[in-house]
Amino acid sequence: SALLSGTAGYIDAVGFLTLMGMLPAHVTGEIVGLTTVFTAGHHLSHPGRLAVIPTFVAALVVAAVVARSHKRRGKSSTRALFALMAGSLAVCTVTGFFGALQGASSYGWAYALREGSIVAAMAFQNALRREALAAACPTTVMTGNLMQLVFDAVDVVASRFSREQNEDTLARVSRVPHLKLMIAAVGS
């Protein structure tokens, strides 16, 4: 969880800095942004933003097909989903070199490919967590993880000061391993 959360945070930073403020790990934000463009007359930063949601969905379809294919054969989909994610990140990295070249504006295709590959990588990471790492916490959306971390911390601290040991208190103490998982994810 910590490694994948750190990866998602890094990808969001790269996306924000190199893709005109896009946050690839948080497609929810892209949905909100597109909704405001269409309903409130806001300016769309670039037309490629319209492709974010279909690209994310298409990558999820690929991930689902790959995962189901592996399950039918009695195999784990972990390596295949990691490979899809790594391949997408490799494409993103390679296309990043085109922006550094003279006349970079003529490489619009590279920008579009970079944007699509980084969004696909996050789709593959989400699928990986769902299909192969179900016990892990979400690794791309930190808002929910931060909320869970705070609630778990309050429960653990409250259980330390509780004078009576009842079912509720014991349930709070049992959240310590989950709290450690949340700290690792949010900290990364």
Side-chain angles (χ1 to χ4, degrees), residues 103-180:
S105 61
S106 64
Y107 291 105
W109 62 270
Y111 182 87
L113 188 57
R114 181 177 12 179
E115 186 177 76
S117 64
I118 202 167
V119 168
M122 289 297 87
F124 295 140
Q125 182 170 322
N126 277 286
L128 173 67
R129 199 210 55 86
R130 181 185 187 280
E131 293 295 313
L133 306 171
C137 63
T139 57
T140 57
V141 181
M142 288 299 114
T143 306
N145 286 347
L146 183 58
M147 182 272 308
Q148 190 64 51
L149 185 152
V150 170
F151 273 65
D152 284 353
V154 167
D155 287 344
V156 168
V157 170
S159 70
R160 301 274 190 242
F161 292 105
S162 178
R163 291 180 188 192
E164 55 185 81
Q165 296 293 319
N166 57 30
E167 261 183 55
D168 188 43
T169 306
L170 295 174
R172 289 178 183 171
V173 172
S174 71
R175 290 193 177 112
V176 170
H178 194 257
L179 176 63
K180 290 178 182 177

Side-chain angles (χ1 to χ4, degrees), residues 55-73:
T55 300
F56 190 81
V57 170
L60 288 175
V61 168
V62 169
V65 168
V66 167
R68 300 301 177 263
S69 170
H70 277 74
K71 279 186 180 180
R72 273 194 307 278
R73 292 181 297 189

